Amino acid sequence: MNVWSQSFSFEVRGKVVDAASGKALPFATVRVNDLSTDKFISGASTDQQGGFSVSTRITSIEVQVSLLGYTTQVIQDITFSEAVADLGTIKLAENTETLDEVLITGEKSTTEFRLDKRVFNVGQNLASAGLSGLELLNNVPSVTVNVEGEIRLRGNTGVEILINGKPSVLASESGNALGTLTSDMIEAIEVITNPSAKYDAEGSSGIINIILKKEEKKGLNGSVTLNTGIPNNHSLGLSLNKRTEKFNLFSQLGIGHRTFPEVNRSINSSNDSPNSIVSSGEGDKNETFYNIILGTDYHINDNNVISLTGHYAYEVESESYSTLFDNLNEENTAIASWNRGQSTEATNPKWQYELQYKKDFDDHKEHMLLFSAIGNFFGKDQSSSFINSPIFGDAASDDQQRTDTDFGQGEYTFKLDYTKPFNDRITMETGAQYVFNDVYNDYTISSLEDGQWQINQNLSNLFEYQQGVLGAYITGAYEAERFGVKAGLRVESTDMSTLLVETGETNSQNFTNLFPSLHASYKVWDNFSIQGGYSRRISRPRLWDLNPFYNIQNEYSVRTGNPNLLPEYADSYEVNFLYDQEKFSLSAAIYHRYTTDVMENVTRVENNVSITMPLNIGTNKSTGFELNAKYDPTDWWALNGDFNYNYVKRDGEYEGTSFDFSSSPSTVRITSKFSLPAQIDFELIGNYQSRFETFQREISGFAFADIGIRKKIWKGKSIINLSVRDIFASRIQESQTVQTGSAVPDFYQYNYRRRGTFFTLGISFGFGKGEAMEFSGQKRF
């Protein structure tokens, strides 16, 4: 709930619903006016359950409740009891008049703060125009995404990604994370740094929950979005919604094509070889994608709804890279040189289906039962060829290699949640969930010998992975006028096994853990609150961390998984301070996280070939400070700022060598938004990430900027968006790995990657009662 002004002593509350169906209406506007002067006093927007609570300094008031497509309700006969006026259920009737004359839209604030999470409303971020789901995360406070697609929350990995509050293959790293989600499908992104026991315990750094759009306005409504861009970035999106008394039918369709160029460099050297290997290359990745979402809600009656949703996506990928390798002697002179070319083709089918049943009870608006069953599948059929072409020198390689991958992952989730309010202050939640993963990866590496392809048996195998997690939780919450507390306990039992079919090598793990949580809040003044929280989390090894196969794109810099990897555990503490005024709001957080059995990528070098493998190394203590501020100096200018500082202390040892270190990474994001004449909005975003250290690496800092421009035309029924991502092509991934010690050979490794600047121009048109998209969609990198 977004409250615009709260510095008052009387409270007005209620719930807003559709007059015909009785369904809650989120994001309705509630205005409190002085009854005698008709001047605005304060206001709010309703939450997901249609509820609202707004403060006023006087009792002689009128309340106006409005929502696009509905007739405004005005309430004047208002009485207060103990400084509270409960308006009960307010029913809004559908407005049958056309919207051709004028279209007025209210905007939610970019970020809303709630007890245990923050909600980032996607549509109000202009630089989100043309972004994919993964790129969109990089605009969210506390979240950073590097060029390789690695997601960090407050500077830490181990982040769990959910779709509509549930795990999804469509958002997993093995499924080309968020590859089929375009920004016009996304309503909001929730950042949960300290989740309660109701949520999965997975993700030692926290949870990012992506909420997809699902309109429910009566009649036929929809929108069309068309994008084009440089480099190749072309897509078409269609959203349709048909609502009747009993049924809500919704669909989204997207097709597109995009090219992702890349420049890379690397250096490898070690004491066991007098020479070093230097490479530089460039290439691009092309993706053509198709996705469709179909779903329906059937309202059996006012209290029972059944929903069925299906999501299918299909990707066609092609990659082409050319990399020049030089073998340098001790005098830094090239004694051999060759070019390594790569060509990759892949197809990726993905689908997800969900059956959900929701029952509401009459005794309280929050009393409900929710059951869902979800099935996911992601497949990949990929083949890559590598050709080394000698330029000069006896050491130049002329090998030809080929890799073939047949991959499949199925994930099945069954979830039951029950919420029981005993009164307006005390609520209990309980539920259970079972998630099962079944994965296979048939991977072969072949070399051309005497005109025949010969499989390398040492690097090829069939890898099978299964994991089942059974969890149950209970939480209890007490919420008074100024004080609230929520405590919970979750238990999860994990059964995981891996198998290398050809060698018969197996690894099985079975363990049960308890995950407590505690959250509290206290409203010191009407515009100043303090929140605190504790939770225990787990990060289980992901598929690609366990998969032992080698990535040989660069044969001098390869990565492999570790089937014996163990999960890491984290205890997380944080205190938040929230201050809110009409033109200025400030949120500050102090947090601490203690992590054991930390999963860290460890690199070793043999004959100038660096091999990186994840291992469990030591403990990690992370203490940080985060600041989020918003200032609206005028009606046409708004400023948002996000700052995060994180001090990391690592204690660890590997093969007799100490890897203790400390690091102080920080990130800054400043957003400036201007509302210009002629319904033009302009937004500029500046980002900075400092240099920081990891287990063996030094990661370089960088700064980059994005801009977004939006123009509403045809009385708001159409919107034109222009976005420029990374204006100065300064967003890079650069790292140095330096290792010295008696037990580990001395070596040096340098890696550099850069994507470049992306331009996207899009137009969106809404029809029926549909609204033009505030942003447009594209594929991820």
Side-chain angles (χ1 to χ4, degrees):
M1 183 170 57
N2 175 27
V3 180
W4 299 322
S5 180
Q6 291 185 323
S7 302
F8 310 111
S9 56
F10 299 97
E11 180 189 10
V12 180
R13 62 192 183 199
K15 180 180 180 180
V16 182
V17 302
D18 183 288
S21 66
K23 189 175 182 67
L25 295 177
F27 310 127
T29 299
V30 181
R31 291 174 56 94
V32 176
N33 296 332
D34 188 312
L35 188 60
S36 59
T37 64
D38 199 35
K39 288 185 178 180
F40 173 78
I41 299 175
S42 61
S45 58
T46 56
D47 58 25
Q48 293 289 340
Q49 290 74 42
F52 68 88
S53 175
V54 60
S55 299
T56 172
R57 66 177 180 269
I58 62 175
T59 58
S60 178
I61 60 171
E62 73 171 16
V63 174
Q64 296 179 0
V65 183
S66 60
L67 182 64
L68 183 67
Y70 291 86
T71 302
T72 298
Q73 182 81 271
V74 180
I75 305 170
Q76 295 183 337
D77 187 14
I78 298 174
T79 59
F80 287 81
S81 176
E82 297 182 355
V84 176
D86 192 342
L87 304 185
T89 300
I90 301 171
K91 298 180 180 180
L92 295 188
E94 182 183 1
N95 187 351
T96 57
E97 297 180 3
T98 65
L99 299 176
D100 294 337
E101 296 298 323
V102 65
L103 179 63
I104 302 174
T105 59
E107 293 193 356
K108 302 187 293 294
S109 62
T110 302
T111 306
E112 299 177 56
F113 293 89
R114 300 179 185 172
L115 177 62
D116 59 348
K117 61 188 172 186
R118 283 168 293 162
V119 182
F120 177 77
N121 295 302
V122 173
Q124 308 315 317
N125 188 277
L126 303 187
S128 297
L131 297 189
S132 69
L134 188 67
E135 294 169 310
L136 190 59
L137 288 177
N138 209 52
N139 285 352
V140 177
S142 306
V143 181
T144 56
V145 183
N146 67 16
V147 174
E148 296 179 338
E150 180 187 59
I151 300 171
R152 289 177 176 262
L153 182 57
R154 287 178 171 171
N156 296 282
T157 57
V159 185
E160 178 72 1
I161 308 295
L162 303 179
I163 305 294
N164 291 335
K166 307 175 187 72
S168 171
V169 166
L170 299 174
S172 69
E173 60 178 347
S174 59
N176 192 22
L178 307 180
T180 62
L181 295 180
T182 53
S183 55
D184 55 327
M185 296 179 178
I186 300 173
E187 173 71 27
I189 297 174
E190 296 180 343
V191 177
I192 311 170
T193 54
N194 210 346
S196 73
K198 180 177 180 178
Y199 294 94
D200 288 347
E202 180 65 50
S204 59
S205 295
I207 294 173
I208 296 175
N209 182 31
I210 298 173
I211 302 173
L212 301 183
K213 286 188 169 183
K214 187 175 71 173
E215 298 290 346
E216 289 197 3
K217 297 173 183 176
K218 283 192 175 180
L220 180 64
N221 317 288
S223 64
V224 179
T225 303
L226 180 66
N227 300 302
T228 187
I230 301 173
N232 293 328
N233 173 26
H234 317 294
S235 64
L236 173 67
L238 174 64
S239 175
L240 285 175
N241 168 246
K242 173 70 174 179
R243 173 69 191 275
T244 65
E245 290 294 334
K246 290 287 187 180
F247 282 94
N248 175 50
L249 305 175
F250 54 92
S251 65
Q252 292 186 350
L253 173 69
I255 59 175
H257 174 77
R258 190 178 176 190
T259 299
F260 305 93
E262 179 182 305
V263 174
N264 60 74
R265 297 193 293 269
S266 70
I267 301 173
N268 280 9
S269 64
S270 63
N271 281 352
D272 62 356
S273 173
N275 299 342
S276 59
I277 304 295
V278 177
S279 71
S280 61
E282 60 182 27
D284 55 53
K285 181 177 182 179
N286 296 278
E287 296 181 336
T288 302
F289 69 97
Y290 313 85
N291 64 61
I292 183 171
I293 297 176
L294 293 174
T296 182
D297 297 325
Y298 174 57
H299 296 262
I300 303 172
N301 51 44
D302 290 345
N303 292 342
N304 295 272
V305 180
I306 294 178
S307 301
L308 181 63
T309 306
H311 186 172
Y312 176 77
Y314 189 79
E315 299 171 324
V316 179
E317 300 177 344
S318 64
E319 299 180 44
S320 179
Y321 292 93
S322 178
T323 305
L324 176 66
F325 286 84
D326 289 316
N327 190 339
L328 307 182
N329 61 19
E330 294 178 280
E331 286 75 34
N332 238 16
T333 301
I335 60 175
S337 182
W338 66 97
N339 187 76
R340 182 173 177 83
Q342 175 194 347
S343 177
T344 297
E345 302 288 338
T347 56
N348 307 325
K350 311 175 184 181
W351 62 78
Q352 174 177 307
Y353 46 88
E354 177 179 2
L355 174 65
Q356 179 174 289
Y357 167 71
K358 181 182 179 182
K359 178 177 178 58
D360 293 316
F361 297 87
D362 291 327
D363 59 332
H364 196 283
K365 63 181 181 181
E366 304 292 339
H367 191 186
M368 69 174 199
L369 177 72
L370 183 66
F371 170 78
S372 63
I374 308 172
N376 294 276
F377 176 81
F378 166 69
K380 178 181 283 290
D381 184 4
Q382 176 176 294
S383 61
S384 300
S385 61
F386 304 89
I387 300 176
N388 290 347
S389 303
I391 299 176
F392 70 86
D394 294 337
S397 172
D398 61 356
D399 297 336
Q400 292 189 42
Q401 294 175 299
R402 185 177 71 188
T403 65
D404 293 284
T405 302
D406 180 16
F407 174 86
Q409 177 179 3
E411 183 174 284
Y412 309 93
T413 303
F414 303 91
K415 189 175 184 182
L416 180 68
D417 296 291
Y418 176 69
T419 303
K420 170 61 178 177
F422 295 98
N423 51 48
D424 288 340
R425 294 190 172 187
I426 300 175
T427 302
M428 180 195 73
E429 296 175 304
T430 187
Q433 176 177 285
Y434 180 67
V435 181
F436 180 73
N437 281 274
D438 187 9
V439 182
Y440 68 88
N441 186 29
D442 192 353
Y443 182 72
T444 60
I445 295 180
S446 305
S447 299
L448 189 64
E449 300 177 6
D450 299 327
Q452 299 291 324
W453 287 105
Q454 302 293 328
I455 295 178
N456 186 330
Q457 299 293 342
N458 294 326
L459 301 178
S460 305
N461 211 321
L462 173 60
F463 179 70
E464 295 182 353
Y465 161 79
Q466 290 186 336
Q467 178 176 276
V469 179
L470 176 64
Y473 73 91
I474 185 169
T475 70
Y478 172 81
E479 187 170 0
E481 183 177 352
R482 291 189 174 274
F483 174 74
V485 62
K486 183 176 184 179
L489 180 65
R490 186 179 188 92
V491 58
E492 289 189 352
S493 178
T494 303
D495 188 4
M496 187 271 290
S497 64
T498 64
L499 170 65
L500 288 169
V501 175
E502 298 297 327
T503 64
E505 182 181 349
T506 63
N507 177 40
S508 298
Q509 299 181 32
N510 188 289
F511 47 89
T512 300
N513 303 107
L514 296 177
F515 301 98
S517 68
L518 178 65
H519 294 80
S521 67
Y522 179 69
K523 184 183 289 186
V524 182
W525 304 299
D526 288 337
N527 62 350
F528 179 66
S529 300
I530 300 176
Q531 300 174 345
Y534 162 78
S535 66
R536 182 167 172 80
R537 312 288 299 163
I538 184 175
S539 271
R540 300 174 182 88
R542 305 298 177 98
L543 170 67
W544 299 116
D545 294 323
L546 298 168
N547 192 335
F549 299 123
Y550 284 78
N551 180 340
I552 62 169
Q553 179 176 342
N554 181 336
E555 58 186 342
Y556 286 89
S557 181
V558 299
R559 186 189 187 282
T560 181
N562 177 8
N564 299 312
L565 203 61
L566 299 174
E568 63 180 32
Y569 297 89
D571 290 280
S572 179
Y573 311 81
E574 68 176 86
V575 178
N576 295 278
F577 305 89
L578 308 176
Y579 178 74
D580 186 25
Q581 283 192 337
E582 185 176 355
K583 290 184 175 295
F584 176 75
S585 63
L586 181 69
S587 169
I590 300 172
Y591 59 88
H592 177 76
R593 182 180 298 108
Y594 177 71
T595 308
T596 59
D597 291 327
V598 178
M599 291 183 287
E600 190 72 70
N601 288 326
V602 178
T603 299
R604 69 181 191 275
V605 171
E606 300 174 359
N607 296 320
N608 289 328
V609 177
S610 67
I611 303 173
T612 301
M613 173 189 292
L615 296 172
N616 295 105
I617 303 291
T619 61
N620 195 77
K621 297 177 182 178
S622 175
T623 303
F625 172 74
E626 187 172 53
L627 190 67
N628 308 101
K630 180 181 179 182
Y631 176 52
D632 299 329
T634 68
D635 293 337
W636 52 268
W637 184 25
L639 281 170
N640 285 274
D642 304 295
F643 170 75
N644 183 71
Y645 171 83
N646 191 10
Y647 176 76
V648 178
K649 180 67 170 64
R650 168 62 63 82
D651 297 313
E653 183 179 286
Y654 173 63
E655 293 188 353
T657 299
S658 173
F659 283 92
D660 295 352
F661 73 90
S662 62
S663 181
S664 302
S666 61
T667 59
V668 179
R669 178 185 290 113
I670 298 177
T671 302
S672 186
K673 181 178 178 180
F674 302 89
S675 297
L676 306 177
Q679 289 191 299
I680 296 176
D681 293 322
F682 174 77
E683 188 173 75
L684 174 64
I685 300 179
N687 298 267
Y688 169 74
Q689 179 173 296
S690 72
R691 170 194 169 277
F692 66 97
E693 296 180 13
T694 64
F695 184 66
Q696 289 176 295
R697 294 169 179 80
E698 297 179 359
I699 311 297
S700 298
F702 60 88
F704 69 97
D706 307 325
I707 63 172
I709 302 174
R710 178 176 67 195
K711 163 66 176 171
K712 294 183 179 181
I713 58 177
W714 296 335
K715 299 178 181 179
K717 294 296 289 184
S718 186
I719 294 175
I720 298 177
N721 288 297
L722 171 66
S723 68
V724 184
R725 181 73 167 167
D726 194 4
I727 304 170
F728 306 106
S730 55
R731 184 169 175 237
I732 61 173
Q733 178 72 17
E734 184 180 40
S735 67
Q736 297 183 78
T737 303
V738 182
Q739 184 59 58
T740 60
S742 58
V744 180
D746 293 0
F747 67 85
Y748 171 81
Q749 182 187 42
Y750 171 83
N751 285 293
Y752 173 94
R753 291 182 65 187
R754 178 174 61 86
R755 288 288 188 185
T757 304
F758 292 83
F759 299 84
T760 303
L761 177 65
I763 183 170
S764 180
F765 174 74
F767 55 88
K769 291 178 184 175
E771 300 176 26
M773 295 294 181
E774 299 288 331
F775 43 85
S776 45
Q778 72 177 26
K779 190 67 177 61
R780 66 150 283 191
F781 57 75

